Amino acid sequence: MDYTLKCTRCTKEYGPQSTAFRCKLCKSVLEVSYDYSTLELNAGFRNEVPSSQKYVQFLPLSTPLRTLEEGSTELKAVDTEELLGDGSVKLHLKIETENPTRTFKDRGTAVEITKAMELGFSDVCCASTGNMGLSIAKYSRHFGLSSTIFISKDANTEKLRKIEEQGAKLEKVDGDFNDSLVLAEEFARYNQNFLCGDYHYRKEGQKSLIFEMLDQLGYQVPDYLFVQVGNATLLSAIYKGLKEYKKAGLIKKVPRLIAVQSES
Ligand SMILES: [Zn+2]
């Protein structure tokens, strides 16, 4: 589909070739905004076998997705008679630890790495608390890009070791995630790096989680969807994916989304 990058606050639009990761006027985050009149879905789209390439028409890409076979994770039915004492409730769990680096982050990373390569970048960077950094390090190495990960020096040492093992340059930050974020954005700007992280392209990649679930449920939209949240970027990606499928006529309703966050 044709698309622009649209500011989520002041609605200024940028072309698909723009490398901006924030609005140049108001510094807010951007979002990929599609022109649905350019969508050309096969009549049998819903029956096509789910795969990472199946959903490319809902992605802002002009080349095939660079994939490490992320996605296609199990949707596991839970025995609700045993768990809740009410077998009439249907409950499913999406097992995202089946992804290459064991988190949903790989879905977004595949799109970011593909986009970085389409735009001609050979270096990427990001701020991370661990999981995203590992995912970006692994995909970068596989597809021949160099990666620099900004991470708090107090991060879990096992995570730091795994990221380094993937050949990434580690920048240990004397501060928290927000300090890492500021440094990564500056580094990207001054070193012509493609900035990975919770920006518009990652959000697009994470939509595949809900697209896949709908395939696995035979397009029967669940009543409720529970999503664990930190910054709620996955929840926001799922909501965007649902709205887009509704616009494309693939589903008629959107489930009620429930965000679940740890108390502390
Ligand atoms: Zn703006």
Side-chain angles (χ1 to χ4, degrees), residues 7 10-12 23 25-26 28:
C7 175
C10 77
T11 72
K12 179 170 171 58
C23 175
L25 297 181
C26 74
S28 292

Side-chain angles (χ1 to χ4, degrees), residues 110-216:
V111 169
E112 285 188 320
I113 294 298
T114 306
K115 199 70 211 175
M117 294 173 80
E118 284 183 4
L119 292 171
F121 286 88
S122 52
D123 306 279
V124 303
C125 67
C126 83
S128 172
T129 56
N131 291 342
M132 194 193 295
L134 176 60
S135 178
I136 287 165
K138 186 178 177 79
Y139 278 70
S140 297
R141 180 156 89 168
H142 186 87
F143 292 104
L145 304 180
S146 87
S147 61
T148 306
I149 313 298
F150 290 79
I151 188 165
S152 169
K153 66 175 176 50
D154 301 323
N156 179 306
T157 50
E158 181 63 10
K159 284 183 178 173
L160 295 174
R161 187 186 62 75
K162 281 187 178 169
I163 293 171
E164 267 182 328
E165 245 177 37
Q166 292 295 335
K169 281 173 261 170
L170 263 192
E171 290 288 343
K172 293 180 191 168
V173 178
D174 189 8
D176 63 10
F177 176 71
N178 287 324
D179 299 310
S180 304
L181 206 57
V182 172
L183 289 173
E185 290 194 4
E186 272 177 18
F187 184 86
R189 197 174 295 119
Y190 293 112
N191 297 282
Q192 282 76 52
N193 271 225
F194 182 88
L195 181 66
C196 295
D198 285 324
Y199 305 98
H200 45 285
Y201 292 124
R202 174 161 294 271
K203 187 175 193 172
E204 294 303 300
Q206 290 177 176
K207 293 185 309 191
S208 69
L209 191 147
I210 186 65
F211 293 164
E212 223 176 82
M213 279 175 73
L214 289 166
D215 266 322
Q216 290 168 316

Side-chain angles (χ1 to χ4, degrees), residues 212-248:
E212 223 176 82
M213 279 175 73
L214 289 166
D215 266 322
Q216 290 168 316
L217 292 168
Y219 288 82
Q220 285 198 318
V221 178
D223 295 324
Y224 297 93
L225 201 59
F226 295 85
V227 187
Q228 82 282 16
V229 299
N231 290 326
T233 50
L234 179 62
L235 181 123
S236 146
I238 286 172
Y239 182 55
K240 188 170 190 283
L242 285 163
K243 279 193 303 181
E244 289 174 358
Y245 259 31
K246 193 160 175 260
K247 264 189 202 163

